[in-house]
């Protein structure tokens, strides 16, 4: 089959690789029809991780079931399914409690499993023609009959919409809250969109990329351009000097200061300063190394400067981590099915698999108009 593989920093290519196939009785085989490029792929692309050469990337996948193992009974050949990026068993202590992002069976002791990702288990990615889905009954979200016509919407259920939603859940966003979101990438836009759906009274989105800020504006949020001045001051101005009730971090390692210097701590401390005393923060931007035990991990350690003094003084609360996609994806799917939500508003490109290496380059450069790429193998 054709697949996009990682060859080295900023070097990916489409190659012929052995077909994905059913390996265990609980596996499902999916012919991929939509697979996204994610900001999380850029941690590998830019060489921050220990991902192996030859790994097939791609964890935001949707397609048609073309094979099922003999122990699979819920999912059928012909079903259109979206695949939550977390590979989970469904029966370990964490999965039982809904923390499928931290499955103890597929990746014991650390951050759960994922397709095509560094240090998150041996699972090949879906930027390919076929994908093997382990524990298929657990890891396939079946889609309604309108799956084909709303594919650009449903594929966002694999990661970024539940992740953006998770940020608002971690921060405890509720009706009438004012919310500040750092980062207007796909995840930040999905957090802002979720906050709007949850009834926030005011949502502010901080970034400096005009095209992304324009999308924030389009969904009814207030764009805050940190190229025009201190974003914290702008958020305080918008909130009568008090700060936002809740805040979401949707940038992670990629954080830059207004001069373009890489500063991973920038957004956390801005967030602490932007949220009012006793407020709460949801942190979904990726800061942590995927495998602190791995001696050859190239990912820098997860330490960032954090103004814990101010965090404490303001009595803030915080939640963080990988999104437990399954926890949210049925409800979010049903909003799409009911025409109450269209997360596809951020899709900028639908391209073929052969276009993937170019698309990685454009998306990595954050080029104007390259917000979210969906590959259609
Ligand atoms: P992205 O890189 O496309 O978007 C990041 C945005 O942040 C960019 O638009 C950039 O201009 C902006 N930015 C950079 N520095 C900034 C600063 N100092 N202040 C404000 N904005 C700033 O990536 P994405 O796909 O939106 O993903 C965002 C983060 O979420 C990544 O770290 C990704 O790994 C992470 N992520 C986490 C999960 C999870 O489960 N927790 C899932 C998916 C993605
Ligand atoms: Zn992703």
């Amino acid at each position: 089959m054709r697949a996009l593989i990682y060859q080295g920093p900023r070097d990916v290519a489409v190659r012929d690789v052995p077909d994905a196939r059913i390996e265990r009785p609980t596996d499902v085989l999916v012919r991929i029809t939509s697979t996204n490029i994610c900001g999380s792929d850029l941690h590998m692309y830019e060489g921050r991780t220990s991902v192996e050469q030859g790994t097939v990337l791609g964890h935001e996948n949707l397609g048609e079931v073309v094979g099922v193992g003999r122990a699979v009974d819920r999912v059928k050949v012909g079903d259109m399914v979206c695949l939550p990026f977390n590979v989970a068993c469904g029966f370990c202590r964490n999965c039982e409690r809904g923390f499928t992002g931290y499955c103890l069976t597929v990746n014991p002791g650390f951050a759960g499993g994922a397709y095509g990702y560094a240090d998150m288990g041996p699972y090949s990615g879906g930027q390919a023609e076929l994908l093997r889905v382990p524990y298929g009954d657990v890891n396939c979200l079946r889609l309604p009959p309108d799956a084909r016509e709303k594919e650009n919407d449903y594929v966002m259920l694999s990661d970024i919409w539940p992740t953006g939603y998770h940020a608002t859940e971690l921060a405890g966003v509720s009706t009438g809250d004012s919310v500040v979101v750092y980062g207007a990438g796909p995840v930040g836009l999905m957090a802002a969109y979720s906050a709007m759906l949850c009834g926030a009274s005011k949502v502010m989105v901080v970034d400096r990329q005009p095209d992304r800020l324009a999308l924030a504006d389009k969904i009814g949020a207030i764009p805050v351009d940190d190229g025009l001045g201190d974003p914290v001051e702008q958020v305080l101005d918008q909130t009568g000097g008090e700060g936002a009730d809740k805040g979401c971090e949707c940038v992670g390692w990629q954080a830059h200061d207004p001069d373009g210097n890489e500063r991973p701590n920038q957004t956390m401390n801005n967030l602490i300063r932007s949220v009012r005393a006793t407020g709460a923060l949801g942190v979904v931007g990726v800061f942590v190394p995927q495998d602190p035990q791995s001696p050859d991990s190239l990912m820098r350690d997860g330490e960032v400067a954090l103004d814990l003094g101010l965090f404490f003084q303001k009595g803030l609360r915080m939640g963080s981590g990988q999104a437990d996609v399954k926890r949210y994806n049925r409800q979010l799917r049903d909003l799409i099915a009911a025409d109450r939500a269209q997360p596809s508003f951020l899709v900028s490109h639908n391209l073929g698999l052969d276009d993937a290496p170019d698309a990685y380059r454009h998306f990595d450069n954050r080029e104007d108009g390259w917000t979210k790429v969906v590959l259609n193998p």
Side-chain angles (χ1 to χ4, degrees), residues 38 40 59-60 159-160:
C38 177
S40 291
H59 59 270
E60 302 193 0
D159 180 353
I160 57 163

Side-chain angles (χ1 to χ4, degrees), residues 23 61 78 149 174 193 203 257 294 359:
E23 296 174 18
N61 305 311
E149 68 207 64
S174 60
Y193 191 63
V203 179
D257 68 18
S294 165

Side-chain angles (χ1 to χ4, degrees), residues 38-40 42-43 59-60 85 117 159-160 163 166 182-188 206-209 212 226 250-257 266-267 270 283-286 321-323 363 366 371-372:
C38 177
S40 291
L42 301 182
H43 300 300
H59 59 270
E60 302 193 0
F85 81 84
Y117 213 83
D159 180 353
I160 57 163
T163 293
H166 189 53
Y182 276 86
V187 171
V206 182
D207 206 302
R208 80 216 52 174
Q209 287 202 212
R212 296 180 173 201
D226 70 358
C250 303
V251 182
W253 271 128
Q254 289 105 319
H256 289 78
D257 68 18
Q266 170 96 359
T267 50
N270 280 348
V283 179
V284 296
V286 168
Q322 301 281 353
F363 182 60
R366 311 256 154 34
T371 327
K372 188 73 179 171

